[in-house]
Amino acid sequence: MKKKQIKLRVVSHTEGNDEFDAGEKESEFTDITTTAELSMSGDRVVIEYDEVLSSGDDTVTHTAISFDKNSPNVIFLTRTGDVQMTCVIEEKTRYRFSYDVGFAVFELIAAGKKVKNSLLDTSGTLKMSYDVEMHGMMIRTCDMRVTII
């Protein structure tokens, strides 16, 4: 297994419906530059880094983005910490996953809209857009761009 430290820029925008607040939309924008670890084992590529997922909360979540070089547009997004989840994001495909927040586990669906992955061992960008659904309703739209710098 080959591992190396890289610099990563992660830009994400999420927008969702706040069902508990008269249906108002909530929006969150994140732009971080961080040190990450890129590892390759056979055809598997994994990029791992730490981030704070929510404004107003200083809890650090460990994030891993992984994919197979033979299927670079099928992305596995794993988060551990206060949030535990692994979802699969693939264009025009829906995958069920569990979102564990400690006191409750939610069954959700990741509905991939767009995935473009040109990440290599020293450069490249991953762009993905997907919806998160619960009980047949779209609850969040996510756009994410990950760039090795």
Side-chain angles (χ1 to χ4, degrees):
M1 178 181 288
K2 192 166 77 167
K3 292 184 178 186
K4 70 194 288 187
Q5 294 292 309
I6 58 171
K7 278 285 203 190
L8 204 63
R9 182 173 181 205
V10 181
V11 178
S12 67
H13 177 253
T14 61
E15 191 169 289
N17 293 318
D18 187 350
E19 295 298 322
F20 304 106
D21 194 15
E24 290 183 19
K25 292 229 183 249
E26 61 178 27
S27 183
E28 196 161 319
F29 179 80
T30 306
D31 186 344
I32 63 169
T33 300
T34 187
T35 301
E37 182 177 85
L38 181 137
S39 58
M40 289 184 266
S41 178
D43 287 336
R44 196 81 184 147
V45 177
V46 181
I47 297 173
E48 298 180 76
Y49 60 96
D50 293 327
E51 65 182 321
V52 175
L53 291 179
S54 173
S55 60
D57 182 9
D58 293 335
T59 305
V60 174
T61 299
H62 185 76
T63 300
I65 297 169
S66 59
F67 59 91
D68 191 295
K69 289 180 184 178
N70 297 320
S71 301
N73 292 328
V74 178
I75 306 299
F76 291 80
L77 178 64
T78 302
R79 292 200 164 116
T80 55
D82 281 355
V83 171
Q84 305 281 332
M85 60 152 277
T86 296
C87 67
V88 180
I89 301 161
E90 181 179 4
E91 222 169 270
K92 299 179 183 170
T93 308
R94 299 161 49 90
Y95 289 98
R96 185 176 308 273
F97 69 101
S98 295
Y99 190 82
D100 184 343
V101 294
F103 61 88
V105 178
F106 301 97
E107 291 296 320
L108 304 174
I109 291 177
K113 296 191 300 189
K114 181 194 264 187
V115 178
K116 301 286 183 216
N117 185 2
S118 65
L119 290 176
L120 301 171
D121 60 349
T122 57
S123 65
T125 299
L126 164 64
K127 294 179 187 177
M128 57 186 175
S129 179
Y130 59 98
D131 290 335
V132 177
E133 301 172 359
M134 177 189 279
H135 302 298
M137 290 178 34
M138 192 278 292
I139 60 170
R140 184 163 301 279
T141 296
C142 306
D143 294 302
M144 186 174 185
R145 185 179 75 232
V146 179
T147 306
I148 297 174
I149 52 176

